[in-house]
Amino acid sequence: MLAADAETLRAIRTKAASYTDTFVADMPVLAQETIVYADYRAALGTTAADDLRYCAVSIVGPRNRVSKIVRKLPLLP
């Protein structure tokens, strides 16, 4: 697991999602703030994509591409 601030997560997510052979799974802050899935979906549906704040992003794809996207991010302590 690598460490990054919110702006870096957004940039990484955007770059990873631009590749067709790369899968991106988001963990928006909104998911951490809601308990009931229906409430999460409702809040997500009324939030613009540019307004989402991310606390994590998972990327699955070719190793060389993922490495290039995350560059030299530090490991979480």
Side-chain angles (χ1 to χ4, degrees), residues 18-45:
S18 72
Y19 296 102
T20 57
D21 61 347
T22 303
F23 173 77
V24 180
D26 304 332
M27 176 58 75
V29 171
L30 190 58
Q32 297 295 306
E33 295 175 342
T34 54
I35 298 172
V36 179
Y37 185 68
D39 295 343
Y40 167 69
R41 287 191 55 189
L44 191 59

Side-chain angles (χ1 to χ4, degrees), residues 7-69:
E7 289 180 37
T8 303
L9 283 177
R10 179 177 296 283
I12 287 171
R13 189 237 177 264
T14 300
K15 190 168 191 173
S18 72
Y19 296 102
T20 57
D21 61 347
T22 303
F23 173 77
V24 180
D26 304 332
M27 176 58 75
V29 171
L30 190 58
Q32 297 295 306
E33 295 175 342
T34 54
I35 298 172
V36 179
Y37 185 68
D39 295 343
Y40 167 69
R41 287 191 55 189
L44 191 59
T46 60
T47 305
D50 290 340
D51 293 336
L52 283 176
R53 296 174 300 142
Y54 297 100
C55 60
V57 175
S58 297
I59 304 169
V60 179
R63 182 182 175 103
N64 60 342
R65 173 160 302 127
V66 173
S67 293
K68 192 181 274 189
I69 292 169

